[in-house]
Amino acid sequence: MTAPILKNDIFLRSLMREPVPYTPLWLMRQAGRYLPEYNETRARAGSFLALAQNREYACEVTLQPLLRFKLDAAILFSDILTIPHAMGLGLDFLTGEGPKFAHPVRHEDDVKKLVVPDMAKLQYVFDAVSLIRKELDGKVPLIGFAGSPWTVGCYMVEGQGSSDYRLIKTMLYSRPDLLHRILEINAQATTEYLNAQIQAGAQAVMIFDSWGGVLADGLFHEFSLAYTHKVMRGLIREHEGRKVPAIVFTKGGAQWIEQIASIGCDAVGLDWTANLAHVRQRTADSVALQGNLDPMALFGGEAAIRAEARRVIDDFGPVKNGGHVFNLGHGISRFTPPEAVSVLVDEVHTYSRAMHQN
Ligand code: CP3
């Protein structure tokens, strides 16, 4: 079966730093609870996991934001915690409390039992990717994703979200050998998982290192970046006759931008604390940049949204040869009014198109 022609490949071209007519955009967590139609489908599915594990539902919610907004990419609806769930850690999403594992990995015995899961257990994800590609019919590219070995490791050891990362840092400082073992297994699993998504039809991939920024300088390199690098080295880089760009996003990672940019990724995601002009200077356009509007700017009303969007675009500077993918600096808040997203999409497209004509 030959894939339908991609009608809008501006996102992919911008990642490859090729000429584009405007700055493409998509939003982290673009399919989610700020959309009433998402909540409606989630209620029908019964739970977050039931939603993510059923390819028809996963496909439906992936496409929902694209029906409302002229976004330039779709992102697979799934979660970074599917891998540890497949490892047997027993994932549950408690309403209002976020993810929780029944069997966290805390002791030497837990670590000894840990193995790279059979990818057949994650077939529901690859099936969703294939179905979404079919339903997208070449409208925009589809992004596949995974968490970084470190970020997924945080949930595996803590058993849930954390404000101080005490348990995983206790392991890091007292038994680094155990943590290295976990990260090694995560890196192997993540490589296989992303490659299977690419083979199922993901046209770009993103690694979410959401909690890399909580590590001390030096330890970030040893416990997070080294393992993301390992994943990068094992990734399929071309599929269907086209390059498959890879994006690495470390929240709070701007101070390490040169090192992140040097692990073989095509783009680096940035949160809102980074200045795109400075980062661009430091990386000398060796990678594309993705970001970096503060998600809370979407609560400021129309004039503020337009002004802040322009600030991000102006900071990046001239974009004749792509290199910028507009995004938020982290996931969209569940309390965001959907109309704010319409305003943002309009401003990014209109303002950046005018800039590209100069
Ligand atoms: O971006 C998208 O639209 C694709 C879907 C996506 C989800 N999670 C769906 C989801 C993606 C890319 C993720 C990644 C993810 N998951 C990350 C990395 C990105 C980031 O935000 O830092 C992390 C850390 C997770 C783990 C996770 N999943 C948490 C902490 C939570 C609960 C907190 C929250 O934001 O609600 C989830 C649940 C989750 N994953 C939801 C969605 C839409 C909300 C669940 C619901 O419907 O109840």
Side-chain angles (χ1 to χ4, degrees), residues 29-31 33 38 42 48 78-79 93 155 208 210 330:
R29 297 279 180 102
Q30 64 191 24
R33 288 167 296 178
Y38 169 85
R42 189 185 188 281
F48 174 78
S78 188
D79 200 80
F93 282 89
Y155 289 94
F208 287 87
S210 305
H330 202 192

Side-chain angles (χ1 to χ4, degrees), residues 1 16 23 25 27 115 123 168 289 293 308 314 321 351:
M1 191 189 83
M16 305 309 300
T23 304
L25 94 158
L27 306 177
V115 289
Q123 190 57 44
I168 192 164
L289 302 178
L293 184 74
E308 293 303 317
D314 287 341
N321 288 326
Y351 184 65

Side-chain angles (χ1 to χ4, degrees), residues 185-197:
I185 291 168
N186 284 0
Q188 178 67 37
T190 306
T191 309
E192 289 182 26
Y193 183 59
L194 285 175
N195 281 342
Q197 288 185 33

Side-chain angles (χ1 to χ4, degrees), residues 26-33 38-39 42 48 51 65 75-81 93 97-99 145 147 151 155 161 208-211 249 251 330-331 334:
W26 67 278
L27 306 177
M28 289 192 260
R29 297 279 180 102
Q30 64 191 24
R33 288 167 296 178
Y38 169 85
N39 293 320
R42 189 185 188 281
F48 174 78
L51 185 59
I75 180 160
L76 162 70
F77 185 82
S78 188
D79 200 80
I80 64 164
L81 302 178
F93 282 89
E97 281 183 54
F145 73 92
T151 292
Y155 289 94
F208 287 87
D209 187 25
S210 305
W211 313 130
F249 168 60
K251 184 161 178 286
H330 202 192
R334 62 182 294 189

Side-chain angles (χ1 to χ4, degrees), residues 21 56-57 59 68 81 85 97 109 112 118 130 134 136-137 149 154 189 198 220 234 242 280 284 300 324 340 346:
E56 274 85 24
Y57 284 140
C59 179
R68 270 192 191 246
L81 302 178
H85 189 49
E97 281 183 54
D109 284 354
K112 276 191 182 145
D118 184 346
S130 310
K134 185 166 155 268
L136 272 172
D137 195 28
C154 286
I198 292 168
F220 165 71
R242 195 164 185 150
R280 194 176 176 191
H324 184 205
D346 176 63

